[in-house]
Amino acid sequence: MTKKLLLLLLIALIPTGAFCQAQKCTLSGYVKDSGSGEVIIGAVVNPVGSSMGAVTNAYGFYSLEVPAGSYNIACSSLGFAADTLKMNITSNLRHDFLLSQMSLSLDGAKVTAESKRDRLLRPEMGLANVTGDLAKRIPVIFGETDIIKVIQMMPGVQSPSEGSTGFVVRGGAVDQNLILMDEAPVYNVGHFMGFFSVFNNDAVKTADLYKGDIAPKYGGRLSSLLDVHTKDGNMQKIGGSLSIGLISSKALIEGPIVKDKASFMIAARRTYIDLFFPLFGDLKGDKLFFYDLNAKANWIVGENDRLYLSVFSGHDIFGMHNKDITDIDMEVDFANNTQSLRWNHVFSPKLFSNFTLINSKYDYGMQLLYSAADIDFLSHLTSQSAKADFTWFANSRNTVSFGMQGTYYVISPAELSPRSDGIFSEYKYPSTNATEPGAYIQNEQKVTDAISLRYGLRLSYFATLGERQQRYYNPDHTPGVVKEFGKGEKIKDWFSLEPRFSSSFNITPSMSLKAAYSRNVQYIQQAVFSISGSPMDIWFTASPTIEPQISDQFSVGVFKNFANDAVETSLEMFYKNNKNTIDFKDHPNVIMNEDMEAELRSGRSYAYGAEFMVKYDKDNFNGWVGYTFSQSKYVIPEINDGKPYDSPTNHKHSVSVVGSYDITPRLSVSADWIYYSGAPTTFPSGVYEINGTRIPLYSDRNSDHFPDYHRMDLSLTLHSGRVPKGERWHSEWNLSAYNLYARHNAWSLDFQYDPSGELQAKKYYLFKIVPSLSYTLTF
């Protein structure tokens, strides 16, 4: 595999100028926002009236091969005014397009930055694009715009519970999503006990969600890839924004370091509800807040080189420090920190490269003091990666991507340290070191004007390493022998081949059929203690006991545009077959248990479903209606007597209706309505008594369901109006209501005995109606 990649690199480096005049030439360069200098992702460059075309990559670069001659070259991207230039191309030519935004109001709030027609024709399925502008228009809880909340409204994506920033895709699990921020993995996306995500919308440029049809460049998760890119920073002038809300505020500043050569972006936010706790006697001394910081710098070193440095740091603290009332002194804190350094280099008009160094760290800690305990609890996960990615624009019909990467993990799942004598003793779950190198190759081929293919292969390797003690388990899951492994010594390893394939057949210019197959392998997973997810969910690797999870997904779909592409419709169907699926046995002991692997059972699972979407985007109105049917089953021989049972995070039916309308140039209204059927769970089916003690008798696993969930949200936004030329300052007020009709959606159910000894269900809910008000000043 490595030899083949090197051969492709050498071929691509062969000078092409001599061939150009006799055969074809290459037009290449970047597409940028003329106002800020930021590159535009997904812009389309094509000769007018020709089926040839190119789309800018994640760094705004395009490469288009054409026969030598004169052309009218068009460059377009939604939200920007198209640009057409007459070019006489007789040799390889470098040209950067500068596109102007259509207006400074809301015309750029689009679901995708790609041409609608081009997206219809490409061999991609299960793709949803979200921009920061779109997220601003969706009503959300506490008035804090959030791309994760928009993602949860897309067909095929479901929220596991009220307020959670976790999400499940096509019957998967929360830990089966690879989430990247400027290419760095984020291992916990929640803030504020899960009601906010780590993505500050002001800093977000684009977010792409791939639901199963994932390019071979990415691996390590079964269900989806969420690829988030933050803003690069304005190359032309200093600008920014300041937002003040009821419980949080945020600020952003960006601008040139050297005009047209280097820029920066800094965005920060903090909640401050805890500042009001002293006003309430019961809450005096308690803590509940988070803060985070995004920072980015980029430098155009030369025509062929560009550097990016991205940094994220987020920290949550929750504490109860009023022992007079609770008799408990507790503080929980967790933090995400990522850094990525990227170097783009253009070897030739046909070969683009990106080299990346990444560091990501997730820390969780808890300090607990009460009458029987005084302890510290710590958990850590660190990953460090190096990547080399290449794109070879071989010709007008073939684009080859290839590369390699390596990741090193250090995972310390749990460490408990008593600070005084008590009921707890010192405990440390064995730390794990692991390495995960991989290589990939892919070709996107336009076979004919009507048929396009994308096919590739990923080779992945994973090994767990010493220094540690490795426990082995007997067939009945009782602890067996313990073996000592030295530093760097291999404990167990796995090789996997992961083929990926997708195709598109264009029936008409406005209609296409698509099909895809992908295999994904996951080597690290979470022990999840609740379906909504929590900071205490710990990551652990495959081991001699736990095999890597494998998923094969098949999908087909039909896509049709109407009304001059103003209305986009899609129907996708999928089937997933998963091997080595894991779940906890009945009544597991997972807290402070160094033999946690003995509590897990493995088998298989499968999921199937359909996703339907109608999207409208024109003039003053845009929105979509989405419906998902999803069925997900586990089949694990040692659970539920080997009978299939429902996945705990799957909702069989879900509906989302989202709309935004500009009433006037200054006033806009947005609303959404969300429905999903109740999540599977297990209720007591009866009670039996032993020696006077009532003991509940449970039904089959996940054979019952929570009540159905639905809510409506509404927001009004008042803008300062269209900004006159030369005027820098503008502002907006936003008033929103979450759960407008105050439905009491069940967050949890508790079963208690009534005076007659019968079990009664008691419902707990989080919110009635939640109003929010915010003010934003932009300059």
Side-chain angles (χ1 to χ4, degrees):
M1 175 68 73
T2 302
K3 290 180 180 179
K4 290 180 180 179
L5 295 177
L6 292 175
L7 178 60
L8 287 172
L9 177 60
L10 291 173
I11 293 173
L13 287 172
I14 295 174
T16 57
F19 296 100
C20 176
Q21 296 180 11
Q23 299 179 17
K24 295 186 177 181
C25 306
T26 300
L27 173 66
S28 62
Y30 292 86
V31 179
K32 302 179 182 180
D33 183 332
S34 63
S36 66
E38 287 221 17
V39 299
I40 300 174
I41 301 171
V44 178
V45 180
N46 65 290
V48 175
S50 171
S51 61
M52 296 180 293
V55 177
T56 56
N57 64 11
Y59 298 96
F61 182 81
Y62 74 93
S63 179
L64 175 65
E65 185 183 72
V66 294
S70 295
Y71 297 91
N72 290 319
I73 304 294
C75 180
S76 61
S77 179
L78 288 178
F80 293 84
D83 186 20
T84 302
L85 294 177
K86 186 173 181 61
M87 294 185 178
N88 185 28
I89 305 175
T90 58
S91 62
N92 290 340
L93 180 63
R94 182 73 172 266
H95 180 77
D96 294 345
F97 285 92
L98 300 177
L99 301 185
S100 300
Q101 292 191 21
M102 293 176 64
S103 85
L104 292 176
S105 61
L106 295 175
D107 295 332
K110 307 296 182 182
V111 175
T112 178
E114 291 185 16
S115 159
K116 296 178 183 179
R117 187 62 57 88
D118 179 80
R119 182 178 60 192
L120 184 73
L121 305 182
R122 296 187 68 185
E124 290 182 332
M125 291 188 65
L127 172 62
N129 310 86
V130 176
T131 65
D133 287 334
L134 171 67
K136 289 179 182 178
R137 307 194 72 164
I138 306 300
V140 291
I141 190 169
F142 301 130
E144 180 68 26
T145 54
D146 196 327
I147 63 167
I148 294 291
K149 302 305 181 185
V150 181
I151 290 293
Q152 290 174 343
M153 297 179 188
M154 298 293 179
V157 185
Q158 299 172 336
S159 172
S161 69
E162 173 90 83
S164 171
T165 52
F167 59 94
V168 296
V169 176
R170 293 184 170 177
V174 173
D175 66 336
Q176 293 177 357
N177 307 307
L178 177 61
I179 301 174
L180 304 178
M181 186 190 304
D182 286 337
E183 300 197 33
V186 181
Y187 294 102
N188 185 346
V189 297
H191 267 322
F192 208 68
M193 310 308 290
F195 296 110
F196 294 73
S197 84
V198 298
F199 299 112
N200 181 344
N201 191 71
D202 287 354
V204 171
K205 184 177 183 179
T206 62
D208 298 321
L209 178 72
Y210 299 84
K211 298 177 289 185
D213 181 19
I214 303 172
K217 176 181 177 181
Y218 303 99
R221 299 294 187 276
L222 299 187
S223 291
S224 76
L225 161 70
L226 178 59
D227 190 15
V228 178
H229 292 267
T230 61
K231 296 177 180 177
D232 299 331
N234 196 311
M235 285 274 189
Q236 305 294 322
K237 59 185 179 181
I238 293 288
S241 63
L242 175 65
S243 298
I244 301 174
L246 295 182
I247 68 168
S248 66
S249 290
K250 54 187 177 179
L252 176 143
I253 186 168
E254 59 180 338
I257 301 172
V258 178
K259 189 174 182 180
D260 295 324
K261 293 285 291 183
S263 66
F264 73 94
M265 183 276 296
I266 300 174
R269 60 179 174 166
R270 190 195 191 278
T271 57
Y272 39 71
I273 191 172
D274 59 300
L275 300 181
F276 299 98
F277 284 177
L279 302 178
F280 305 94
D282 291 352
L283 299 177
K284 187 175 182 180
D286 291 350
K287 299 179 181 179
L288 179 60
F289 68 92
F290 78 81
Y291 60 85
D292 58 28
L293 172 74
N294 290 87
K296 191 173 185 178
N298 76 98
W299 175 30
I300 302 175
V301 182
E303 185 180 54
N304 295 323
D305 296 279
R306 187 165 185 168
L307 292 174
Y308 296 86
L309 175 63
S310 302
V311 175
F312 171 77
S313 180
H315 198 179
D316 285 70
I317 295 179
F318 165 66
M320 296 188 299
H321 296 289
N322 195 335
K323 287 179 59 59
D324 293 339
I325 297 175
T326 63
D327 197 34
I328 295 176
D329 195 323
M330 179 183 72
E331 184 164 306
V332 174
D333 62 272
F334 54 97
N336 286 283
N337 290 278
T338 68
Q339 304 87 36
S340 60
L341 176 63
R342 292 169 287 169
W343 169 36
N344 293 170
H345 179 68
V346 180
F347 282 99
S348 75
K350 287 180 173 291
L351 185 64
F352 180 89
S353 66
N354 179 59
F355 302 92
T356 310
L357 296 176
I358 300 167
N359 181 68
S360 181
K361 186 177 184 183
Y362 172 65
D363 298 289
Y364 171 80
M366 179 177 67
Q367 297 80 45
L368 178 64
L369 174 63
Y370 69 105
S371 57
D374 185 2
I375 60 171
D376 284 327
F377 175 86
L378 299 173
S379 178
H380 309 280
L381 186 158
T382 301
S383 65
Q384 297 171 327
S385 304
K387 300 171 57 182
D389 300 302
F390 302 89
T391 304
W392 176 33
F393 303 91
N395 52 53
S396 60
R397 292 193 177 275
N398 293 274
T399 301
V400 181
S401 302
F402 57 97
M404 58 195 73
Q405 64 187 67
T407 302
Y408 185 78
Y409 298 95
V410 179
I411 303 176
S412 176
E415 181 178 342
L416 187 146
S417 302
R419 293 181 292 190
S420 63
D421 293 336
I423 63 173
F424 292 101
S425 58
E426 187 171 355
Y427 161 83
K428 184 175 182 180
Y429 191 94
S431 297
T432 300
N433 301 324
T435 183
E436 186 180 2
Y440 70 93
I441 186 168
Q442 171 191 283
N443 184 31
E444 186 167 331
Q445 180 180 8
K446 190 170 186 179
V447 181
T448 69
D449 289 347
I451 300 174
S452 296
L453 304 176
R454 190 179 72 179
Y455 47 90
L457 181 67
R458 180 179 180 84
L459 170 64
S460 61
Y461 172 79
F462 190 86
T464 55
L465 308 171
E467 180 177 15
R468 63 167 288 170
Q469 289 183 337
Q470 177 64 52
R471 183 181 294 278
Y472 293 82
Y473 296 90
N474 299 316
D476 62 354
H477 305 289
T478 57
V481 299
V482 176
K483 185 176 179 181
E484 189 80 30
F485 289 87
K487 186 174 182 180
E489 186 178 359
K490 181 177 66 179
I491 299 174
K492 188 173 176 59
D493 64 349
W494 299 264
F495 283 96
S496 298
L497 290 175
E498 304 174 39
R500 316 278 173 87
F501 173 83
S502 59
S503 63
S504 175
F505 173 60
N506 306 318
I507 301 174
T508 71
S510 62
M511 183 177 183
S512 65
L513 297 176
K514 299 185 182 184
Y517 162 75
S518 64
R519 165 166 283 201
N520 293 276
V521 180
Q522 181 163 339
Y523 298 101
I524 69 170
Q525 51 269 312
Q526 276 185 309
V528 178
F529 301 126
S530 69
I531 63 171
S532 60
S534 76
M536 290 191 68
D537 297 340
I538 61 174
W539 289 91
F540 62 99
T541 69
S543 70
T545 304
I546 306 299
E547 289 292 318
Q549 299 182 68
I550 302 172
S551 177
D552 292 293
Q553 180 174 166
F554 305 85
S555 54
V556 294
V558 57
F559 302 79
K560 171 67 175 173
N561 290 0
F562 297 92
N564 197 27
D565 295 329
V567 178
E568 301 173 82
T569 64
S570 63
L571 173 64
E572 298 186 48
M573 293 174 286
F574 67 90
Y575 176 80
K576 294 169 68 174
N577 183 47
N578 305 320
K579 301 176 183 177
N580 304 325
T581 300
I582 57 174
D583 200 358
F584 284 110
K585 69 176 187 179
D586 292 334
H587 314 297
N589 175 20
V590 296
I591 304 298
M592 306 303 172
N593 182 6
E594 63 180 5
D595 291 315
M596 186 186 67
E597 290 186 7
E599 307 297 306
L600 292 166
R601 302 293 183 264
S602 64
R604 68 180 184 92
S605 62
Y606 59 91
Y608 58 89
E611 303 162 6
F612 176 70
M613 190 175 193
V614 177
K615 184 165 53 181
Y616 182 85
D617 190 0
K618 190 173 177 66
D619 300 327
N620 296 332
F621 177 78
N622 61 67
W624 69 87
V625 176
Y627 167 73
T628 302
F629 168 79
S630 178
Q631 190 71 277
S632 180
K633 298 282 189 178
Y634 287 8
V635 185
I636 299 178
E638 298 175 83
I639 297 177
N640 206 46
D641 296 325
K643 297 180 294 185
Y645 63 94
D646 289 338
S647 162
T649 56
N650 184 69
H651 302 279
K652 191 172 183 178
H653 303 280
S654 60
V655 179
S656 59
V657 181
V658 181
S660 180
Y661 179 67
D662 296 332
I663 302 172
T664 71
R666 295 192 61 195
L667 183 65
S668 62
V669 60
S670 300
D672 61 63
W673 184 75
I674 309 298
Y675 166 86
Y676 48 82
S677 51
T681 188
T682 307
F683 293 159
S685 59
V687 177
Y688 62 96
E689 187 173 311
I690 299 179
N691 297 328
T693 301
R694 296 189 186 99
I695 300 175
L697 178 66
Y698 288 92
S699 58
D700 290 344
R701 181 171 291 201
N702 294 344
S703 60
D704 301 293
H705 292 82
F706 277 85
D708 291 354
Y709 176 99
H710 56 87
R711 73 168 199 273
M712 183 178 184
D713 310 321
L714 180 70
S715 73
L716 287 171
T717 303
L718 179 65
H719 311 275
S720 59
R722 295 186 179 272
V723 181
K725 187 174 182 180
E727 181 69 34
R728 295 192 61 185
W729 300 85
H730 58 283
S731 61
E732 66 178 41
W733 287 93
N734 178 268
L735 175 64
S736 65
Y738 178 89
N739 195 18
L740 184 65
Y741 49 80
R743 174 170 169 83
H744 297 175
N745 287 300
W747 187 67
S748 68
L749 295 173
D750 184 29
F751 288 85
Q752 301 174 351
Y753 294 105
D754 65 12
S756 66
E758 296 293 325
L759 274 175
Q760 297 291 328
K762 184 176 182 180
K763 179 175 73 174
Y764 295 89
Y765 63 91
L766 292 178
F767 306 111
K768 295 183 180 180
I769 184 173
V770 182
S772 298
L773 179 67
S774 65
Y775 174 77
T776 301
L777 180 66
T778 304
F779 60 93

